[in-house]
Amino acid sequence: MVQSAVLGFPRIGPNRELKKATEGYWNGKITVDELFKVGKDLRTQNWKLQKEAGVDIIPSNDFSFYDQVLDLSLLFNVIPDRYTKYDLSPIDTLFAMGRGLQRKATATEKAVDVTALEMVKWFDSNYHYVRPTFSKTTQFKLNGQKPVDEYLEAKGLGIQTRPVLLGPVSYLFLGKADKDSLDLEPLSLLEQLLPLYAEILSKLAAAGATDVQIDEPVLVLDLPANAQAAIKKAYAYFGEQSNLPKITLATYFGTVVPNLDAIKGLPVAALHVDFVRAPEQFDDVIAAIGAKQTLSVGIVDGRNIWKNDFKKSSAVVNKAIEKLGADRVVVATSSSLLHTPVDLNNETKLDAEIKGFFSFATQKLDEVVVITKHVSGGNVTAALEANATSVESRGKSKLIHNSAVKTRVASIDEKMSTRAVPFEQRLPEQQKVFNLPLFPTTTIGSFPQTKDIRINRNKFNKGTISAEEYEKFINSEIEKVIRFQEEIGLDVLVHGEPERNDMVQYFGEQINGYAFTVNGWVQSYGSRYVRPPIIVGDLSRPKAMSVKESVYAQSITSKPVKGMLTGPITCLRWSFPRDDVDQKTQAMQLALALRDEVNDLEAAGINVIQVDEPALREGLPLREGAERSAYYTWAAEAFRVATSGVANKTQIHSHFCYSDLDPNHIKALDADVVSIEFSKKDDANYIAEFKNYPNHIGLGLFDIHSPRVPSKDEFIAKISTVLKTYPADKFWVNPDCGLKTRGWEETRLSLTHMVEAAKYFREQY
Ligand code: GLN
Ligand code: ZN
C-alpha cells in the first residue's frame, strides 16, 4: 500500500512560541525547565497534528531549539575547546556555539566570553545552519541521545515516528576545519564518525524505531570524487550492521542524477527524491532504484506556499506505482516543511481569492494525505474537485495576469539593458557634476532605526497618527541624518531609510502583484524568523515609491544625495516566488518596475542612485553548468534593465554583502560604483581578485554587525593594506553595509574615524 510521509515540520510554533521561549531563556525571564516544557509542547502539538491529518510516516528529531545541524555537533561532541572550557550545561553549550555568549562572573558561575561558530546558508534556502567545526583535537563520542529521547517521547504519546538525522557525509561535507587545524579535511573523519551513527541508530532500533530518514542533501551538489566515495562507504557500513532500522536515504532541492553512481546499489531500504524541484530526473531515478527498494516521491513542495495541483502530482505518483508497484512507493513532501509558514488559517488579512491559492505547512499535511488516498483508489472526489477548481481559477485570475506587463517584458532588448556609453566615458561626465575628492566617502543607506522610529511607524500603521504627521516625523529624521553627515564631512549622502520596515517589503508593498502575510513566519536562523512577501502575479509599479524622501533629502543639502533602491534579484530571492512563471520573467518584471523608479529619481534631480543586490550570490543555482551560467546572464541583465535608462552623468551604485563574490559577475552589472562587504575578509587574495575590476569600488571598512568602534589608525592600516594591491583612484571609503541595527553613539564615532582616515590619505596622494 502507498504510504504518506512528511520529511520535517516547522518547529517555531503557530505563534512563534519557540522564539518567545528561547529569547525568554536567554534574557533570564524563564527557567531551563520552562524552556524544555515549551519544546515538549511544540513537539507534541506537531506530532498530533500530523497524526490527526492521517500522515502515515511522521518525523521525529526534526525539532531543535536552535538548529538541527548544531544539534548533531552537540550529539557527536564536535565542540571546540573554547566552549567546553566553561563547563556549561549541554543546552547552554549549544546556544554558546550558535550565538556566542558573554557573561560576567557571578558568585556561582565564572565569566564567559566566546563568539559564535560560523553560520552558513542552507543550500539555496534562506535558512542558515551552524557550521560543524572540526579540529585535530575533536574527540567524537555521544553526548546524550536526543534522537532516541524524542522518538520515545512520541512513542509515549502512542505515535510511531520515523526519526530524522542529517547523514554523515552531508554533516562532514558542510563542515569545516577549525582555525587551529586548517589542513584537516573534514571527510577524513568519516571512519571516526560512522560508529557513532551506528550506535545511535541501533539505540533507535532497540527503542522500537523500524525506520529512519537519513538526509544526504549534498547529493544534489557537484560532489567531488572523495565525497561520492564517502557516500558508498558510509551506507555500505550501515548495511553491514545488524539491528539497525530501515534507512530512507533522503535528498532534496535538486537532481541526484549526476551522483546516481554513488547511490545505485546502496543497501538502503528507500530513496527519497525531490520531484518538485527536479521533475526531469524521474526516468533516471526509476532506472537506478534497486529491485527491492522503495521510492519516496517528493511531490508536495517544502520550499514554497502554492497549493498543490493534485491531478499533476497524482500522475507522477501513478507513474512510479506503475513501474514499482504500490508497496514500493511513498508520497512525500519534497523536503522538510521547515521552509514554509506554519498555518494558513492564521492569516486574517489576506484577500480571500489570493488565500485560496496558498497552502502552508499545516495544509500540506492534508495534501500529502489526499494524494496518497487518491492513488490508492480511496474516495477523495470532493477534495480533488475543489482542488481542480481552485488550481484552474488561479490560472485564470485577473489578480495574476497583466497583459501590459507581459508585453513590456517581451520588448526588453539589448539597448534597454545597456548604458549609452562605456564607464570610461561616463566617468568624466560624472566627475564634472560631483567633483568628488580622491577616496570619496559614503555609507550604504540606512542609519540607526531607533525606538522612536519604530514607535512612530506603528502609530502610523495603526492610524493613531495621520499621514501628514508621519511624513513630518520622517522628514525630521531625514534632516537629522543629513545634518549629521554634513557635520562629519561625508561626500555622498543618504537619506537614512527611516521610512522602511524592511528593504524588500517596503517596495513589495508598493508593487502590484505582491501579497503579504501577517503571520507567515519562517525560521531564518536561531530565533530569527522572516516573513517573506509572496509574488502572486505580474508585477508593476503604479506610482513612484521612494522619490518623495530622496527629493526632500536633496532639497536640504548642497551635497549629492544617493537615491536608494532594492534590486530585482534581491526582491525576488527574499520573496516566495511564483511557480507558474520562471524566475527570470519575475526578475525582469521587477527590473522594469525599478527602471521606472530609477528614471523618476533622476528626473526629480537625484543624480546618484544605488540599487542594492545583497542576494545576488545566493540566487546561484546549486550546480555548475548551463543553469548557473544562464543565471549569471539574466541576473546581470535584470540589474542593467533597472539601471540603464539614465544619462551618462547619473552615477549608478550597487551594494553586495553576505557572500564571497566573483568580480567577473559584478563586472557584468556595469554599475559605476559598487560597495562590497569586506571587513571580515582581510585576506590578501580576496583583494587581489578585485585588482582588475574596471569600475569604482568601496571595500567595506568596518563590521556593522558589531557595536565596536574602530579607531582612525585602524582605518588607516586597513586602507593601506588595500592600497598595496588596489589603485587609489578607484577606491571609495564606506562601511560594510547599512547601519540600521547600530546605535547612534557608535555610528557617530565609527564614521567620524572613517572620514578622518580618508582625509589622511587625500593628503598623501
Ligand atoms: N541599503 C540597505 C541598508 O543600508 C542595504 C541593506 C543590505 O545590503 N542588506 O540598510
Ligand atoms: Zn549589505
Side-chain angles (χ1 to χ4, degrees):
M1 232 184 54
V2 182
Q3 290 195 300
S4 56
V6 169
L7 266 60
F9 197 79
R11 52 218 175 204
I12 61 177
N15 292 303
R16 291 185 288 162
E17 288 81 353
L18 187 62
K19 178 187 180 72
K20 286 164 206 159
T22 43
E23 291 181 353
Y25 175 66
W26 298 335
N27 298 332
K29 288 196 189 114
I30 67 169
T31 65
V32 73
D33 290 334
E34 287 167 318
L35 173 69
F36 287 162
K37 167 94 170 48
V38 171
K40 191 171 174 193
D41 289 346
L42 286 169
R43 291 190 294 270
T44 304
Q45 204 173 314
N46 286 348
W47 287 322
K48 286 191 171 159
L49 191 72
Q50 295 176 78
K51 182 89 196 165
E52 279 156 22
V55 176
D56 300 314
I57 302 171
I58 297 170
S60 60
N61 197 43
D62 54 341
F63 178 82
S64 177
F65 279 111
Y66 202 88
D67 162 44
Q68 70 277 10
V69 183
L70 181 59
D71 287 343
L72 271 193
S73 295
L74 187 73
L75 181 72
F76 295 139
N77 201 41
V78 181
I79 309 173
D81 298 340
R82 54 186 178 278
Y83 302 97
T84 48
K85 72 172 188 208
Y86 295 114
D87 300 319
L88 299 167
S89 68
I91 187 77
D92 287 342
T93 306
L94 184 97
F95 288 144
M97 287 196 283
R99 57 194 295 272
L101 183 61
Q102 216 166 19
R103 190 165 78 190
K104 294 208 180 83
T106 65
T108 51
E109 292 169 327
K110 38 184 176 172
V112 181
D113 188 359
V114 64
T115 55
L117 290 176
E118 187 188 1
M119 193 170 69
V120 204
K121 267 191 181 288
W122 181 244
F123 297 83
D124 57 358
S125 77
N126 240 329
Y127 181 78
H128 302 71
Y129 71 96
V130 178
R131 199 151 185 204
T133 305
F134 306 102
S135 157
K136 286 178 184 149
T137 59
T138 302
Q139 294 213 330
F140 289 97
K141 64 167 190 192
L142 285 186
N143 278 325
Q145 49 166 19
K146 174 180 182 289
V148 183
D149 293 341
E150 291 182 11
Y151 170 79
L152 287 171
E153 195 179 296
K155 197 177 169 193
L157 297 164
I159 299 175
Q160 177 66 256
T161 58
R162 179 174 73 179
V164 189
L165 285 168
L166 180 64
V169 179
S170 294
Y171 177 70
L172 292 172
F173 193 79
L174 297 174
K176 66 164 187 186
D178 208 350
K179 32 184 191 273
D180 63 359
S181 309
L182 284 178
D183 56 343
L184 180 71
E185 155 68 85
L187 278 177
S188 71
L189 301 166
L190 185 68
E191 269 158 56
Q192 293 180 56
L193 187 57
L194 287 178
L196 297 191
Y197 268 92
E199 195 179 333
I200 206 81
L201 291 173
S202 64
K203 281 186 178 173
L204 281 168
T210 55
D211 288 84
V212 289
Q213 170 192 328
I214 303 191
D215 289 358
E216 290 287 7
V218 296
L219 282 166
V220 308
L221 303 177
D222 294 310
L223 274 191
N226 65 339
Q228 297 207 10
I231 289 278
K232 289 190 192 168
K233 188 168 175 179
Y235 292 85
Y237 175 88
F238 294 145
E240 286 158 14
Q241 314 298 309
S242 50
N243 306 327
L244 299 193
K246 285 188 284 167
I247 294 174
T248 292
L249 177 63
T251 68
Y252 37 79
F253 304 158
T255 172
V256 295
V257 170
N259 293 318
L260 268 183
D261 279 345
I263 302 172
K264 232 186 276 183
L266 292 179
V268 296
L271 179 66
H272 171 87
V273 176
D274 183 343
F275 290 118
V276 175
R277 276 290 281 276
E280 72 282 1
Q281 61 183 326
F282 188 87
D283 292 338
D284 290 318
V285 168
I286 291 280
I289 281 277
K292 288 193 177 139
Q293 278 176 330
T294 294
L295 178 64
S296 168
V297 180
I299 201 74
V300 171
D301 198 348
R303 287 283 296 275
N304 214 331
I305 46 67
W306 301 102
K307 190 176 266 179
N308 195 276
D309 182 338
F310 289 162
K311 205 171 139 204
K312 262 199 200 153
S313 298
S314 305
V316 176
V317 179
N318 276 326
K319 222 165 93 186
I321 295 174
E322 229 169 79
K323 306 271 184 199
L324 305 173
D327 290 340
R328 288 171 57 206
V329 172
V330 169
V331 175
T333 57
S334 65
S335 65
S336 167
L337 298 173
L338 174 71
H339 312 283
T340 59
V342 178
D343 190 353
L344 187 59
N345 291 326
N346 288 340
E347 294 308 319
T348 46
K349 295 219 172 109
L350 272 177
D351 171 275
E353 183 182 354
I354 291 180
K355 196 169 171 181
F357 301 158
F358 300 159
S359 170
F360 291 179
T362 305
Q363 288 66 42
K364 287 171 190 280
L365 302 176
D366 295 332
E367 295 187 337
V368 172
V369 172
V370 173
I371 297 169
T372 306
K373 281 194 185 143
H374 178 47
V375 299
S376 312
N379 183 357
V380 282
T381 318
L384 285 179
E385 276 171 8
N387 180 263
T389 313
S390 169
V391 167
E392 198 186 327
S393 78
R394 178 178 160 212
K396 290 190 197 144
S397 171
K398 285 209 179 59
L399 295 171
I400 291 188
H401 300 288
N402 180 330
S403 57
V405 173
K406 292 191 213 293
T407 312
R408 200 167 169 218
V409 168
S411 77
I412 294 176
D413 58 11
E414 172 104 27
K415 188 158 170 277
M416 247 175 125
S417 60
T418 319
R419 298 280 300 261
V421 300
F423 174 70
E424 308 77 62
Q425 292 172 41
R426 301 194 300 263
L427 183 66
E429 293 195 42
Q430 292 167 15
Q431 264 157 351
K432 244 189 271 159
V433 183
F434 306 118
N435 200 14
L436 293 170
L438 263 187
F439 304 103
T441 52
T442 192
T443 61
I444 308 305
S446 57
F447 268 77
Q449 286 250 341
T450 56
K451 212 169 161 185
D452 202 26
I453 294 180
R454 280 195 299 271
I455 289 174
N456 275 280
R457 186 181 302 141
N458 277 339
K459 278 190 189 160
F460 174 56
N461 288 337
K462 284 199 186 109
T464 40
I465 59 171
S466 69
E468 294 73 46
E469 282 170 300
Y470 184 59
E471 185 175 331
K472 224 171 111 201
F473 169 76
I474 291 294
N475 283 351
S476 70
E477 287 295 315
I478 292 174
E479 181 160 8
K480 196 159 77 188
V481 169
I482 293 287
R483 295 296 164 248
F484 165 75
Q485 296 172 90
E486 288 177 334
E487 194 185 304
I488 67 164
L490 280 153
D491 299 303
V492 174
L493 312 192
V494 295
H495 77 282
E497 304 178 21
E499 76 286 10
R500 302 189 188 174
N501 41 9
D502 170 273
M503 66 186 290
V504 174
Q505 192 178 345
Y506 185 73
F507 292 101
E509 281 173 353
Q510 302 186 70
I511 291 177
N512 290 339
Y514 258 109
F516 296 88
T517 64
V518 287
N519 208 14
W521 299 98
V522 176
Q523 189 174 22
S524 173
Y525 64 91
S527 71
R528 289 302 192 97
Y529 310 159
V530 292
R531 212 170 27 152
I534 303 171
I535 302 178
V536 173
D538 291 332
L539 299 162
S540 61
R541 184 200 74 143
K543 58 179 201 311
M545 306 183 281
S546 69
V547 174
K548 196 172 69 185
E549 290 80 10
S550 292
V551 165
Y552 176 72
Q554 186 66 82
S555 75
I556 57 172
T557 180
S558 56
K559 294 244 178 119
V561 171
K562 198 159 51 160
M564 201 62 58
L565 304 172
T566 304
I569 303 301
T570 301
C571 286
L572 177 65
R573 292 297 309 174
W574 292 353
S575 306
F576 282 117
R578 288 167 73 172
D579 64 349
D580 56 336
V581 167
D582 62 29
Q583 305 234 340
K584 177 183 170 184
T585 305
Q586 298 174 67
M588 291 305 165
Q589 294 182 354
L590 286 160
L592 289 171
L594 289 160
R595 179 185 177 93
D596 295 343
E597 186 71 14
V598 168
N599 294 351
D600 280 357
L601 281 168
E602 182 188 50
I606 305 300
N607 298 312
V608 189
I609 301 165
Q610 178 170 310
V611 179
D612 292 328
E613 282 290 27
L616 185 74
R617 172 66 180 75
E618 70 176 61
L620 199 64
L622 293 170
R623 282 185 196 281
E624 275 174 31
E627 204 193 328
R628 192 181 274 192
S629 42
Y631 169 78
Y632 279 128
T633 307
W634 65 254
E637 190 190 346
F639 181 89
R640 294 196 316 269
V641 166
T643 54
S644 295
V646 294
N648 300 336
K649 65 178 185 4
T650 297
Q651 190 167 69
I652 297 290
H653 288 221
S654 188
H655 164 72
F656 314 92
C657 49
Y658 299 124
S659 43
D660 290 341
L661 292 155
D662 179 336
N664 286 316
H665 301 134
I666 303 182
K667 209 155 90 184
L669 307 183
D670 197 27
D672 299 304
V673 181
V674 299
S675 58
I676 65 176
E677 177 178 321
F678 185 70
S679 74
K680 280 176 287 184
K681 297 201 168 64
D682 41 8
D683 169 350
N685 296 329
Y686 194 64
I687 305 175
E689 281 181 35
F690 283 90
K691 199 169 98 185
N692 298 319
Y693 178 74
N695 304 4
H696 286 188
I697 197 166
L699 301 173
L701 293 172
F702 69 92
D703 179 10
I704 53 84
H705 294 111
S706 164
R708 198 173 159 273
V709 175
S711 65
K712 174 181 168 188
D713 287 345
E714 246 179 275
F715 280 110
I716 291 178
K718 192 121 204 168
I719 297 172
S720 303
T721 318
V722 177
L723 287 176
K724 281 190 198 133
T725 32
Y726 204 79
D729 60 350
K730 290 184 174 179
F731 188 59
W732 283 63
V733 168
N734 52 255
D736 257 355
C737 189
L739 296 157
K740 61 173 166 258
T741 57
R742 294 274 54 84
W744 264 107
E745 204 39 48
E746 68 249 25
T747 295
R748 168 179 296 277
L749 289 170
S750 297
L751 289 179
T752 303
H753 296 164
M754 186 186 87
V755 172
E756 284 170 355
K759 287 185 178 150
Y760 166 87
F761 280 98
R762 276 172 209 158
E763 282 160 21
Q764 315 290 309
Y765 279 79

